[in-house]
């Protein structure tokens, strides 16, 4: 979906519908630019007050567009950014499958919310019908944004379009069924991106023999239970920029049965979403290629399938990681940290400026934070502040959780250097502490997105988070460095 920005309703347009956002305290002023027949009579008859998300059709009452509708903001000065999603959903729900091109007057919306509202519109417009026999007949392709004043410019719209592309791509990957989306599939996706952007991307794929040669036996302890071999995939973006890269590491467990520590059957279908961290890395790399931000970034995907079989790892097994540390595997369902720890060691060869790993790592984080914010773990206060700011700007928010030395003793093992679980308490924290042991040579943050990467129930599906957060974080770094 593409946006154009206009200062007034275009005289000549293919737009099939007009939406006008209106402030409950400035209703008449918001509508002065349009010739609306019998406006006072309509407002009196309908008792329309422009309350938040209150709508009023004006069929054949506006000369410039017969198919028009008002949408209330309530008191726009008090409008919270979190409410933009509901407004976007109302517009998209009424327009999707009906129109290809609409106009949206956002003049009444506070200008500092214009960009975020456009992003919300792209998120609301997403649909996944790849495996439906009946496809959507009409897809909303473009929106003319009308605003007498707006801070938006072409560069910002291009960034929004890039984030939309990357987030939708991440959602497509997350929603893809696990019989098709397995480690080799993710490698093929990375290679396809490199073919699409040959001037920007360099892709490397490690197979299991190469991982064994490097000593990545924690990773292989997970992947060896599956007939689908694991892969470590790196995508280096914009090597021409002479700076140490930001490295994004994504957990890509394409299906997680729990291994020998088998998960309950109820809801296990959602374990296809256990690769959403990897999907967000691929989505961010795609968005970077479209936005062409002048920044050096490396994406790394730890792709494996966790299955029970005669080759699967047993609880009690001890493996040696690429770093040389040994791990006693007490629970094979704590597999994400095993594929990540070796990948976090491997990416040291890129001499990173900083590293952010993204993983649907723990159910404990969902218990702690629900599905509103992602868990953020880092001993680096400055990096935390940058991520928190980017989260607020993109409304893809994070909440800082502790990663303290006092929790490390919960991971002690009598037989190895470290155990892969830390007991029943603070599970998200001990998981982060486990990863921290492999990241002490560089600046590092961990995002636990187990609660935010997908939704369950009637709206089940991947969200594409935290692509907006990561892109805002990278855009902020570009602005700071310039």
């Amino acid at each position: 979906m593409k946006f154009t920005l206009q200062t007034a309703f275009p005289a000549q347009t293919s737009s099939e519908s007009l939406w006008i956002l209106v402030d409950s305290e400035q209703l008449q002023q918001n509508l002065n630019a349009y010739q609306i027949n019998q406006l006072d009579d309509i407002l009196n008859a309908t008792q329309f007050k422009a309350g938040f998300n209150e709508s009023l059709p004006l069929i054949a009452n506006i000369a410039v567009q017969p198919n028009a509708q008002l949408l209330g903001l309530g008191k726009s000065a008090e409008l919270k950014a979190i409410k933009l999603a509901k407004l976007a959903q109302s517009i998209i729900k009424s327009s999707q499958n009906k129109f290809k091109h609409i106009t949206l007057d956002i003049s009444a919306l506070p200008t500092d919310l214009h960009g975020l509202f456009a992003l919300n519109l792209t998120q609301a417009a997403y649909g996944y019908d790849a495996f439906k026999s009946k496809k959507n007949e009409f897809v909303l392709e473009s929106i003319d944004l009308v605003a007498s004043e707006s801070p938006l410019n072409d560069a910002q719209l291009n960034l929004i379009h890039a984030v939309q592309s990357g987030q939708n791509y991440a959602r497509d990957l997350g929603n893809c069924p696990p019989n098709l989306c397995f480690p080799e599939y993710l490698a093929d996706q990375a290679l396809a991106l490199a073919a699409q952007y040959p001037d920007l991307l360099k892709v490397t794929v490690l197979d299991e023999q190469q991982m064994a040669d490097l000593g990545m036996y924690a990773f292989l302890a997970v992947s060896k239970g599956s007939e689908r071999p694991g892969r470590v995939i790196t995508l280096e973006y914009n090597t021409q920029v002479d700076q140490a890269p930001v490295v994004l590491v994504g957990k890509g467990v394409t299906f997680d049965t729990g291994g020998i520590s088998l998960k309950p059957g109820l809801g296990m279908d959602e374990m296809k979403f256990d690769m959403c961290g990897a999907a967000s890395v691929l989505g961010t790399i795609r968005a970077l290629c479209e936005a062409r931000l002048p920044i050096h970034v490396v994406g790394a995907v730890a792709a494996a399938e966790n299955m029970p079989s005669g080759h699967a790892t047993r609880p009690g097994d001890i493996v040696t990681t690429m770093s040389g540390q040994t791990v006693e595997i007490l629970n094979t369902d704590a597999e994400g940290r095993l594929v990540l720890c070796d990948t976090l060691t491997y990416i040291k060869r890129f001499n990173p400026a900083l590293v952010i790993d993204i993983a649907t790592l723990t159910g404990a984080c969902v218990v702690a934070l629900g599905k509103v914010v992602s868990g953020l773990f880092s001993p680096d206060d400055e990096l935390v502040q940058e991520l928190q700011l980017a989260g607020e700007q993109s409304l893809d928010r994070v909440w800082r959780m502790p990663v303290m030395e006092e929790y490390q003793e919960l991971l002690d093992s009598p037989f190895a250097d470290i155990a892969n679980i830390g007991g029943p308490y603070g599970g998200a924290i001990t998981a982060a502490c486990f990863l921290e042991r492999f990241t002490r040579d560089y600046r590092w943050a961990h995002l636990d997105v187990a609660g935010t990467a997908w939704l369950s129930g009637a709206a089940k599906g991947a969200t594409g988070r935290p692509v907006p957060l990561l892109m805002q974080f990278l855009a902020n770094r570009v602005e700071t460095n310039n």
Side-chain angles (χ1 to χ4, degrees):
M1 186 170 68
K2 295 296 183 181
F3 295 103
T4 60
L5 186 62
Q6 312 280 346
T7 57
F9 188 89
Q12 294 183 337
T13 177
S14 61
S15 176
E16 301 159 276
S17 178
L18 168 65
W19 286 79
I20 307 172
L21 301 184
V22 287
D23 185 327
S24 62
E25 294 189 326
Q26 301 181 53
L27 179 54
Q28 295 284 353
Q29 297 94 309
N30 295 156
L31 299 174
N32 282 342
Y34 299 95
Q35 297 176 355
I36 303 178
N37 299 326
Q38 301 174 322
L39 176 60
D40 290 336
D41 293 340
I42 294 171
L43 296 178
N44 289 332
T46 61
Q47 291 297 296
F48 178 74
K49 303 297 183 185
F52 175 75
N53 212 26
E54 181 186 2
S55 62
L56 176 65
L58 294 175
I59 306 300
N61 289 97
I62 297 184
V64 295
Q65 173 52 262
N67 187 13
Q69 191 148 245
L70 307 183
L71 185 64
L73 299 175
K75 297 179 181 179
S76 63
E78 300 176 3
L79 184 64
K80 304 294 185 183
I82 191 64
K83 289 190 171 185
L84 295 177
K86 288 188 177 181
L87 296 172
Q89 288 161 8
S90 294
I91 294 168
I92 297 301
K93 185 177 180 180
S94 294
S95 303
Q96 196 75 287
N97 298 325
K98 296 179 183 177
F99 310 119
K100 291 187 176 182
H101 181 190
I102 67 172
T103 300
L104 174 56
D105 190 330
I106 59 172
S107 300
L109 190 70
T111 56
D112 61 325
L113 298 179
H114 285 189
L116 193 54
F117 185 52
L119 182 60
N120 273 267
L121 288 165
T122 71
Q123 294 163 344
Y126 174 81
Y128 187 73
D129 60 3
F131 296 91
K132 294 276 192 180
S133 56
K134 185 177 180 180
K135 310 296 184 185
N136 291 330
E137 295 183 21
F138 296 94
V139 177
L140 186 58
E141 296 176 351
S142 59
I143 297 179
D144 291 329
L145 298 175
V146 174
S148 53
E149 294 181 10
S150 179
L152 290 177
N153 54 38
D154 288 343
Q156 289 167 313
L157 287 177
N158 287 338
L159 183 60
I160 290 168
H161 290 146
V163 173
Q164 171 190 215
S165 178
Q167 188 170 14
N168 286 355
Y169 181 52
R171 295 174 84 168
D172 285 348
L173 290 173
N175 289 329
C176 188
N179 59 317
L180 297 180
C181 183
F182 39 81
E184 302 106 313
Y185 177 86
L186 293 180
D188 289 343
Q189 291 293 310
L191 292 169
L193 276 177
Q196 187 175 356
Y197 301 100
D199 59 325
L200 291 174
L201 276 187
K202 175 185 176 183
V203 170
T204 303
V205 180
L206 299 183
D207 61 27
E208 290 195 334
Q209 184 56 58
Q210 291 169 305
M211 285 187 262
D213 293 343
L214 290 168
M216 301 174 75
Y217 293 109
F219 189 114
L220 294 170
V222 177
S223 65
K224 71 178 184 177
S226 172
E227 293 185 2
R228 297 288 189 185
R231 295 287 185 266
V232 172
I233 308 153
T234 58
L235 306 93
E236 193 168 6
Y237 166 79
N238 209 7
T239 57
Q240 294 88 349
V241 174
D242 186 19
Q243 60 183 211
V246 173
V247 179
L248 307 175
V249 179
K251 174 187 171 184
V253 176
T254 55
F255 195 80
D256 181 19
T257 65
I260 297 301
S261 305
L262 193 67
K263 292 180 180 289
L266 184 64
M268 197 193 284
D269 63 290
E270 295 187 11
M271 288 301 97
K272 72 174 186 177
F273 297 122
D274 210 18
M275 45 65 69
C276 283
S280 73
V281 170
L282 288 165
T284 301
I285 295 295
R286 182 186 185 114
L288 282 169
C289 290
E290 296 207 5
R292 293 184 173 265
L293 292 184
I295 186 172
H296 189 190
V297 177
V298 174
V301 170
E305 187 177 50
N306 188 23
M307 299 287 281
S309 74
H311 299 288
T313 295
R314 298 158 291 264
D317 284 359
I318 294 176
V319 296
T320 302
T321 67
M322 185 180 176
S323 71
Q325 299 175 79
T326 58
V327 177
E328 183 184 13
I329 300 173
L330 298 179
N331 188 320
T332 65
D333 193 26
E335 86 298 330
R337 63 202 73 182
L338 298 177
V339 299
L340 284 173
C341 72
D342 277 342
T343 308
L344 288 166
T345 301
Y346 175 76
I347 54 90
K348 285 197 294 185
R349 65 191 54 212
F350 293 102
N351 298 314
L354 60 92
V355 176
I356 303 170
D357 77 74
I358 307 101
T360 51
L361 204 62
T362 65
C365 195
V366 188
V367 173
L369 298 176
K371 289 187 166 288
V372 176
V373 297
S374 302
L376 167 61
F377 301 79
S378 177
D380 188 321
D381 292 340
E382 183 180 349
L383 181 53
V384 165
Q385 290 173 3
E386 288 182 48
L387 285 165
Q388 287 175 328
L389 174 62
E392 293 298 328
Q393 291 171 318
S394 62
L395 208 62
D396 189 357
R397 295 170 296 170
V398 296
W399 191 264
R400 189 179 193 179
M401 301 280 281
V403 52
M404 300 173 179
E405 192 64 30
E406 291 90 330
Y407 290 98
Q408 289 285 358
E409 63 184 33
L410 296 175
L411 293 166
D412 289 346
S413 164
F415 304 114
D417 296 331
I418 184 174
N420 80 321
I421 58 172
Y425 307 117
I429 299 169
T430 54
C433 287
F434 180 95
L435 296 178
E436 187 190 20
R437 296 199 184 197
F438 301 87
T439 63
R440 289 172 175 167
D441 292 335
Y442 46 72
R443 300 178 67 197
W444 162 79
H446 159 59
L447 294 175
D448 192 329
V449 296
T452 56
W454 80 90
L455 300 174
S456 302
K460 182 167 69 174
T463 64
R465 294 176 66 183
V467 171
L469 162 69
L470 296 172
M471 281 297 292
Q472 185 66 56
F473 172 81
L474 294 171
N476 289 350
R477 288 182 67 83
V478 168
E479 185 176 349
T480 299
N481 291 335
N482 288 342

